[in-house]
């Protein structure tokens, strides 16, 4: 890890808050390679690692005036850790859905009962989505059906990435509860 002097860090952060692009570039060039390496180690995918690191630096610039950072290095690596966790969470959900679809659509199991079950599950999921608040529905559909990134959704809806993550987490939790309650009811 890069050893960064606290005085330099405080000076760079003050300049960053004032919109100094050179300070931002200095921070980027000081930490981006290590963040990229750490992200790649965790994800095993260079493209995903680059996207996660890029989003951290975009967020740093966009939120520069509101950030209260005592330790720049700790902040950046903490942000990376949260980004990787959120990425893995979304992969787990996506993989579960893909596994379910693969099982349902496999040639060995493609009978009428499975198609009816899939239609019923899709209908239940759609009802669960429709039970969400309007903004949460919109974020969920953009994320899961149109495969937009958190950053793209935030930009398109003019909300923060944290708000997007909140809506996605909230929607997944509520839809799971809806499905669980529906099957318990049956």
């Amino acid at each position: 890890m890069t050893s960064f002097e606290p005085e330099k860090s405080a000076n760079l952060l003050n300049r960053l808050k004032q919109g100094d692009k050179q300070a931002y570039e200095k921070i980027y060039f000081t930490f981006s390679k290590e963040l990229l390496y750490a992200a790649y180690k965790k994800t095993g995918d260079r493209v995903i690692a680059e996207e996660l690191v890029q989003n951290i630096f975009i967020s740093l610039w966009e939120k520069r005036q509101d950030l209260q950072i005592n330790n720049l290095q700790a902040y950046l690596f903490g942000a990376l850790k949260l980004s990787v966790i959120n990425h893995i969470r979304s992969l787990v959900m996506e993989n579960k859905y893909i596994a379910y679809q693969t099982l349902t659509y496999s040639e060995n199991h493609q009978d009428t009962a499975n198609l009816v079950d899939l239609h019923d599950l899709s209908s239940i999921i759609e009802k669960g989505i429709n039970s969400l608040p309007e903004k949460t529905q919109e974020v969920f559909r953009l994320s899961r059906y149109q495969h937009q990134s958190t950053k793209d959704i935030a930009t398109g809806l003019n909300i923060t990435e944290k708000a997007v993550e909140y809506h996605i987490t909230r929607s997944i939790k509520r839809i799971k509860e809806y499905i669980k309650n529906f099957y318990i009811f049956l």
Side-chain angles (χ1 to χ4, degrees):
M1 257 191 190
T2 301
S3 175
F4 209 64
E5 298 173 24
E7 308 85 43
K8 283 186 180 181
S9 179
N11 181 31
L12 282 175
L13 287 169
N14 286 333
R15 289 174 42 207
L16 177 69
K17 282 188 176 197
Q18 296 170 5
D20 184 337
K21 290 183 180 180
Q22 288 178 336
Y24 176 74
E25 288 173 357
K26 174 72 174 165
I27 293 168
Y28 177 83
F29 287 116
T30 302
F31 293 103
S32 62
K33 285 183 183 178
E34 287 184 59
L35 287 168
L36 182 59
Y37 176 75
Y40 179 73
K41 243 173 92 173
K42 297 289 184 190
T43 64
D45 185 321
R46 184 166 177 83
V47 173
I48 298 296
E50 287 173 352
E51 184 178 336
L52 294 175
V53 171
Q54 180 183 21
N55 287 341
I56 289 169
F57 281 104
I58 289 170
S59 178
L60 179 68
W61 178 256
E62 290 175 346
K63 299 175 183 178
R64 67 189 177 275
Q65 293 173 327
D66 300 324
L67 294 174
Q68 300 296 321
I69 301 173
N70 294 324
N71 182 328
L72 181 58
Q73 185 172 343
Y75 172 82
L76 292 172
F77 280 89
L80 177 63
K81 181 179 178 181
L82 290 174
S83 295
V84 169
I85 289 169
N86 288 333
H87 171 72
I88 291 170
R89 259 193 216 136
S90 71
L91 282 180
V92 167
M93 286 301 295
E94 188 176 328
N95 288 339
K96 284 182 181 179
Y97 181 72
I98 289 170
Y100 177 79
Q101 279 188 323
T102 302
L103 177 65
T104 303
Y105 283 115
S106 69
E107 292 179 4
N108 297 335
H109 297 93
Q110 201 173 37
D111 58 15
T112 305
N114 283 342
L115 291 175
V116 168
D117 286 346
L118 178 61
H119 177 72
D120 289 348
L121 180 60
S122 296
S123 176
I124 293 165
I125 291 171
E126 192 59 34
K127 286 177 184 175
I129 293 169
N130 290 335
S131 74
L132 298 170
E134 189 175 314
K135 182 66 85 176
T136 305
Q137 283 184 44
E138 185 177 11
V139 170
F140 181 82
R141 291 179 197 281
L142 291 171
S143 171
R144 294 306 189 250
Y145 293 162
Q146 296 181 16
H147 307 290
Q148 290 188 17
S149 70
T150 301
K151 178 184 172 236
D152 291 341
I153 296 169
T155 302
L157 297 179
N158 198 25
I159 59 176
T160 65
E161 288 182 42
K162 287 285 184 200
V164 172
E165 291 168 3
Y166 166 79
H167 284 294
I168 291 171
T169 302
R170 180 179 180 194
S171 60
I172 290 170
K173 183 178 179 184
R174 294 263 313 267
I175 291 168
K176 280 182 182 178
E177 289 173 5
Y178 188 87
I179 292 169
K180 182 177 144 187
N181 290 337
F182 186 85
Y183 277 109
I184 289 173
F185 177 74
L186 288 177

